[in-house]
Amino acid sequence: MNSDNRAMIRVREADGNDLDAVVEIGRRTWPATNGELYDPDFVPLFLDKWWTKDACIPSIRAGRTMVAQAGDEVVGMASYGPLEGRQIVWKLYVLPDWQGRGVGGQLLGAVLERIGHQPTFMSFAAGNDSAARFTRSVGFVEDHREPQTDMPDLVWMRRDPT
Ligand SMILES: CC(C)(COP(=O)(O)OP(=O)(O)OC[C@H]1O[C@@H](n2cnc3c(N)ncnc32)[C@H](O)[C@@H]1OP(=O)(O)O)[C@@H](O)C(=O)NCCC(=O)NCCS
């Protein structure tokens, strides 16, 4: 990891001006990540469910979306929030060209700082080996697998406060 790369990234809370960039990150990164794991027919359905302005606005309004900026460009995003007493990182996406340069680690670090000392969960599709390695490298362990009809299992990872 080159320390110059880390230094040029600024992580901050997203605001309404970031909406288009946040949607674009998902629309570019989700197919690159999951396109080969899901039936091709599912890809547009996922994008229409999770990566539209309507889908991204509530988390931005709630102050629970973070973005990573390199110069003027937003290159990664993360969103988080509670569900049934647990803290969940719902989305963590770095543009393909920016992966492996410390952006995801910095975004997740900012989210974990906000969540504080609480167990935190995040998930990815079984077969997303890059996400498996990344989450383990930042202290998550596998908690359970959630079967999904006609789709890969969701692997749920958990990180307990240190
Ligand atoms: C998973 C993802 C968010 C990681 O972000 P990233 O910017 O690529 O990761 P970073 O460069 O910050 O890496 C952070 C650490 O994880 C490690 N790591 C990251 N990807 C890795 C990989 N594929 N294999 C092994 N280690 C990896 C790095 O070594 C790094 O450790 P270091 O800080 O000690 O150097 C990013 O690759 C991504 O957007 N993937 C597609 C979307 C996705 O799968 N999201 C779900 C994640 S649960």
Side-chain angles (χ1 to χ4, degrees):
M1 178 60 56
N2 181 334
S3 59
D4 290 347
N5 280 338
R6 285 191 194 280
M8 63 189 285
I9 300 296
R10 183 174 151 239
V11 173
R12 58 174 174 78
E13 187 177 306
D15 64 30
N17 295 321
D18 298 308
L19 180 58
D20 288 342
V22 166
V23 172
E24 183 64 15
I25 284 168
R27 291 197 156 255
R28 285 169 59 187
T29 312
W30 199 95
T33 308
N34 295 301
E36 292 184 0
L37 302 176
Y38 287 83
D39 184 314
D41 291 344
F42 282 129
V43 174
L45 302 179
F46 270 91
L47 296 183
D48 287 349
K49 183 166 186 193
W50 299 113
W51 294 104
T52 62
K53 291 185 184 185
D54 284 348
C56 296
I57 283 172
S59 167
I60 293 178
R61 285 218 175 114
R64 295 198 193 111
T65 296
M66 308 294 290
V67 288
Q69 197 170 328
D72 291 338
E73 189 187 2
V74 175
V75 298
M77 62 75 62
S79 63
Y80 65 97
L83 177 73
E84 296 168 359
R86 295 174 160 189
Q87 290 293 333
I88 318 275
V89 182
W90 292 113
K91 293 175 176 171
L92 176 60
Y93 286 81
V94 175
L95 287 174
D97 286 352
W98 281 87
Q99 292 175 12
R101 293 158 75 172
V103 177
Q106 288 186 69
L107 274 166
L108 186 60
V111 167
L112 294 176
E113 199 175 304
R114 284 175 160 226
I115 286 174
H117 288 273
Q118 301 180 65
T120 302
F121 292 77
M122 57 195 296
S123 68
F124 50 80
N128 183 349
D129 297 332
S130 173
R133 285 191 294 268
F134 169 78
T135 47
R136 287 185 192 284
S137 83
V138 291
F140 283 76
V141 295
E142 184 171 330
D143 187 75
H144 66 280
R145 290 187 179 224
E146 179 183 342
Q148 305 190 99
T149 309
D150 296 332
M151 291 184 275
D153 291 350
L154 271 189
V155 182
W156 280 95
M157 306 292 286
R158 186 189 77 249
R159 184 179 188 273
D160 292 319
T162 46

